[in-house]
Amino acid sequence: MPKFKKSFHIKARDFIRAGEASINVQNLLKTMNLDSRLIRRIAICGYESEMNVVMHGGDGSLSIEVGADRLVLEVTDDGPGIEDIELAMQTGYSTANDDHREMGFGAGMGLPNMKKNSDQIYIESTKDQGTHVRMFFFIPDGVKTD
Amino acid sequence: LSKKLASTCFVRFDENRCVGCGSCLRVCPTKAIRVKNKKAIRIVEQCIGCGECIRTCREGAVSATTKGPGVLKQDQVAIALVSPVLYAQFPGVMPKDVLLGLRHMGFQHTIDMSYFLEIFQCAAEEFINRNRKSQKAPWPLISPVCPVVVRLIAFQFPSLLPHVLPVLRPVALMAREIKSHLVPDYVDAHRKVVLYYINPCPTKKEPSCLPRPKKTVPTEIALGINDIYPELLKYVEQIRAADRIPFYQTRFEYETCATGNASMWAMSGGEIADMDIDQSLAVSGIEETINYLGKIEMGLFQDIEYIEFRTCREGCLGGVLVAIDKYLAKSTVQKMIKRFGLGRRLQRENILRLYEKGQFQTEKIPAKLTRLFGASKKALSLEALQKIESIAKRIKGTDCSACGAPDCRTFAEDVVRGDAALKDCLLIGAPAGKKRRSKL
């Protein structure tokens, strides 16, 4: 089964360029003429996870893997990790600091939003070693193959 | 890419003037331009009519497909549909004098947009008010006024089409009014009626350019402000020189009067400034527009109710077909607002009554545009994406554009789609050991 994978670098604390990796993923998927609602969901997940890395994580990457009937959005970083994943998944829970909130972030919606907009989400995190999130999106009609 | 594609709906390229410098390649937001054989050739379906290529071309090889000066004929009833941007081109001149100048030029009727801008504003406010309860459309709603923005959304951000405010654009309301109230009398009298849209940008399509040409009565023609400016300026100066302005008999008030509220629309932010909506933003410039649309797609700005986008910097007075500098025009508008104030003329209740009847709503725009742009790009397959990636890796791009594509990735895509040959790339195309030597 053919697969396509591409990954984009995310730099920690770089708020100016935050969102670029996610936009690159979007542009890539748009060339495949996928359903626009699906692209929107991936865009939201991409952005939320990218912001998480920029705010809390270390350097990391956002990668997209396109299979015949599914997309996998993967985000990894080498930051401090999430101590209590279950707590982090709750709406409104945030470890953002005042600087983040001043910029309009830190509403505690990131992970819940990612969960809401993806079909499946897996989070692995080890303290002081980083976080690895995988989000699955199923494509009912499949992607175009030759 | 065939030669006949070089001239299309919004802009045309003059092959004799084009030197193949490629400036237009790089500014095109939809990557719709390629240079072949040192001449700019466009890919028609991707053009959204923003006019950035006109703005950037130093050779004057790109022009709008407007009609140009001297089109008025004696035997026709010429009706000018005036955008408020026109008034901004005449510092210190009252809008009514500009309209009078147009009539001296030979337009029988000059229709000012103020009324229709007010109607639009009122209908937009009403939709937004109701949307707070019904949540029929997602926040933020996006202004449908700039047609380039709507096309950009259809082409590049189709997931945002439900965000486009489903209210008829002011110019559409204006054309509808004219066609139903002004034109029929002339048609009954067997006169030929021509509607001239006097525009600051090249965005009005010639009916003959449409996929299925509409057989509309009357004929509709687009004119750039800069097309008519020299002649109009002459008449306006004459009018200003006269001691007394003669009273001019007209049929409708909207043929003579403009409001401060309307003149403000020429500037970025003019649409939302007087609207009854607290959470609104105005964004202008093509780069910023793309940037913000991307952010909306990623789920940002959901706390904003309405966003006004204009792809020209500073708004419509920064359009590519205007006659004077945009900052000068902006100061003209600001002085006009100071003089006229921002009062509205129309009775809100009357407009709301028509709103109830569904007079202003339109659901058609998104569906129509999706059809138009949805078919223009063939979907790339998984294998094609892999090929593009491997070509891009081989090029290790510097985005030099020497191949005739705007950047390396687009070039790789062109190769895979079969529209370009790999040998066109200077970095990997030239066979090793056969470097070109200069004969000096």
Side-chain angles (χ1 to χ4, degrees):
Chain A
M1 196 55 87
K3 259 184 192 164
F4 174 82
K5 190 168 178 179
K6 191 163 183 184
S7 102
F8 302 92
H9 184 68
I10 306 172
K11 203 164 168 262
R13 314 288 171 266
D14 187 354
F15 284 92
I16 308 285
R17 301 185 67 179
E20 261 180 30
S22 175
I23 284 193
N24 283 329
V25 168
Q26 272 161 263
N27 289 343
L28 195 73
L29 297 178
K30 280 173 188 171
T31 59
M32 302 191 78
N33 291 16
L34 293 178
D35 179 60
S36 61
R37 280 162 302 182
L38 176 65
I39 290 186
R40 181 92 199 256
R41 283 165 51 211
I42 296 169
I44 293 170
C45 290
Y47 179 75
E48 294 287 6
S49 45
E50 191 175 350
M51 282 322 294
N52 281 343
V53 175
V54 171
M55 285 194 295
H56 310 290
D59 283 3
S61 70
L62 180 72
S63 69
I64 183 84
E65 187 185 299
V66 189
D69 62 347
R70 72 178 59 180
L71 286 145
V72 188
L73 192 65
E74 230 174 325
V75 57
T76 50
D77 72 66
D78 52 14
I82 304 171
E83 257 178 55
D84 186 339
I85 295 179
E86 226 166 275
L87 191 61
M89 292 298 282
Q90 282 176 20
T91 305
Y93 177 80
S94 174
T95 54
N97 60 30
D98 287 348
D99 288 350
H100 297 150
R101 268 187 280 274
E102 248 171 51
M103 285 186 277
F105 302 110
M109 294 301 292
L111 285 172
N113 246 343
M114 285 151 68
K115 188 180 178 187
K116 193 177 114 195
N117 285 290
S118 58
D119 291 322
Q120 280 173 13
I121 183 165
Y122 299 98
I123 307 174
E124 290 160 23
S125 190
T126 322
K127 197 167 174 4
D128 297 325
Q129 286 187 27
T131 306
H132 180 193
V133 182
R134 276 181 305 158
M135 286 160 275
F136 287 79
F137 302 86
F138 301 115
I139 313 165
D141 308 332
V143 301
K144 198 185 160 203
T145 51
D146 288 342
Chain B
L1 291 167
S2 65
K3 252 190 182 176
K4 69 170 193 278
L5 298 184
S7 159
T8 60
C9 296
F10 301 113
V11 298
R12 64 170 90 87
F13 288 88
D14 183 345
E15 296 211 350
N16 297 322
R17 282 187 174 182
C18 178
V19 294
C21 69
S23 333
C24 53
L25 281 184
R26 286 179 285 267
V27 296
C28 179
T30 55
K31 302 189 195 320
I33 306 176
R34 301 289 182 277
V35 172
K36 298 277 145 148
N37 308 321
K38 296 199 172 171
K39 300 288 170 199
I41 305 232
R42 221 155 41 99
I43 306 171
V44 181
E45 295 84 359
Q46 298 190 10
C47 177
I48 54 168
C50 68
E52 291 299 316
C53 45
I54 303 178
R55 214 190 289 274
T56 197
C57 184
R58 277 164 301 187
E59 307 296 326
V62 197
S63 54
T65 50
T66 51
K67 264 290 175 295
V71 282
L72 292 189
K73 292 190 189 76
Q74 288 296 319
D75 61 336
Q76 67 187 19
V77 178
I79 302 176
L81 286 75
V82 182
S83 136
V85 184
L86 186 66
Y87 311 135
Q89 310 297 302
F90 297 91
V93 179
M94 298 287 281
K96 68 177 175 57
D97 289 349
V98 176
L99 294 175
L100 185 56
L102 282 172
R103 287 196 291 273
H104 284 197
M105 261 181 89
F107 291 98
Q108 270 90 334
H109 295 275
T110 53
I111 313 299
D112 167 66
M113 215 189 260
S114 308
Y115 263 117
F116 309 100
L117 294 172
E118 263 185 52
I119 294 173
F120 173 86
Q121 231 163 14
C122 201
E125 281 166 1
E126 191 58 23
F127 186 92
I128 292 165
N129 263 325
R130 293 182 186 197
N131 198 48
R132 283 184 198 129
K133 284 201 196 80
S134 69
Q135 300 285 324
K136 206 172 140 201
W139 303 120
L141 285 161
I142 295 171
S143 162
V145 170
C146 175
V148 181
V149 170
V150 180
R151 276 183 225 123
L152 184 65
I153 290 172
F155 180 71
Q156 220 166 315
F157 303 93
S159 76
L160 299 184
L161 280 170
H163 288 253
V164 178
L165 181 79
V167 171
L168 280 171
R169 299 168 53 218
V171 68
L173 295 170
M174 177 157 84
R176 187 177 69 183
E177 175 74 21
I178 295 166
K179 283 175 195 167
S180 57
H181 287 113
L182 200 57
V183 173
D185 287 353
Y186 286 112
V187 173
D188 289 346
H190 302 289
R191 299 282 305 276
K192 182 176 160 43
V193 184
V194 185
L195 303 188
Y196 291 92
Y197 294 80
I198 300 175
N199 288 337
C201 57
T203 191
K204 168 99 185 140
K205 273 188 184 177
E206 294 285 318
S208 60
C209 274
L210 296 170
R212 276 163 298 167
K214 275 189 285 184
K215 280 189 191 132
T216 50
V217 178
T219 315
E220 299 183 33
I221 290 175
L223 290 176
I225 286 179
N226 56 356
D227 287 331
I228 56 156
Y229 188 74
E231 195 182 347
L232 179 57
L233 182 65
K234 207 172 67 196
Y235 286 111
V236 169
E237 276 168 357
Q238 275 173 20
I239 292 165
R240 304 255 296 152
D243 287 334
R244 207 171 57 87
I245 296 156
F247 179 69
Y248 202 87
Q249 197 74 42
T250 47
R251 290 216 293 181
F252 296 100
E253 192 195 346
Y254 56 58
E255 291 186 54
T256 50
C257 291
T259 58
N261 185 316
S263 60
M264 189 162 62
W265 279 65
M267 303 194 295
S268 166
E271 178 183 350
I272 56 166
D274 192 42
M275 265 195 199
D276 256 342
I277 300 156
D278 293 332
Q279 308 297 327
S280 56
L281 283 184
V283 177
S284 72
I286 187 89
E287 272 173 30
E288 290 284 59
T289 298
I290 291 173
N291 201 341
Y292 273 73
L293 288 174
K295 285 180 178 170
I296 297 173
E297 193 164 53
M298 295 191 291
L300 276 76
F301 300 116
Q302 288 181 24
D303 51 337
I304 304 281
E305 290 178 339
Y306 192 63
I307 304 190
E308 168 204 315
F309 283 105
R310 299 286 187 269
T311 55
C312 294
R313 235 175 251 176
E314 297 287 336
C316 301
L317 49 73
V320 284
L321 302 184
V322 296
I324 69 167
D325 175 71
K326 59 176 175 293
Y327 296 111
L328 196 57
K330 189 177 171 185
S331 114
T332 310
V333 171
Q334 285 165 335
K335 296 214 168 66
M336 249 189 293
I337 296 166
K338 201 177 165 211
R339 183 181 281 186
F340 296 146
L342 288 178
R344 296 195 193 181
R345 289 183 301 190
L346 297 175
Q347 290 291 323
R348 195 180 172 84
E349 299 78 61
N350 293 345
I351 298 176
L352 292 186
R353 213 172 300 135
L354 293 172
Y355 184 94
E356 287 297 340
K357 289 185 191 162
Q359 288 279 300
F360 310 126
Q361 288 88 331
T362 172
E363 310 284 333
K364 275 188 266 170
I365 310 171
K368 206 170 83 185
L369 281 167
T370 312
R371 272 205 309 280
L372 197 66
F373 285 102
S376 67
K377 272 189 301 186
K378 259 199 298 174
L380 289 170
S381 67
L382 212 54
E383 291 82 355
L385 274 188
Q386 288 169 330
K387 275 183 219 158
I388 290 172
E389 212 51 48
S390 77
I391 293 173
K393 268 197 193 118
R394 271 179 73 193
I395 302 174
K396 290 190 199 107
T398 52
D399 293 340
C400 71
S401 305
C403 58
D407 52 61
C408 297
R409 206 188 148 78
T410 311
F411 172 70
E413 212 179 300
D414 281 356
V415 172
V416 171
R417 287 185 194 270
D419 295 331
L422 205 51
K423 65 176 170 46
D424 291 344
C425 175
L426 287 185
L427 288 172
I428 55 172
K434 257 189 165 182
K435 279 180 189 160
R436 198 191 292 166
R437 282 188 206 119
S438 61
K439 290 177 182 172
L440 277 174

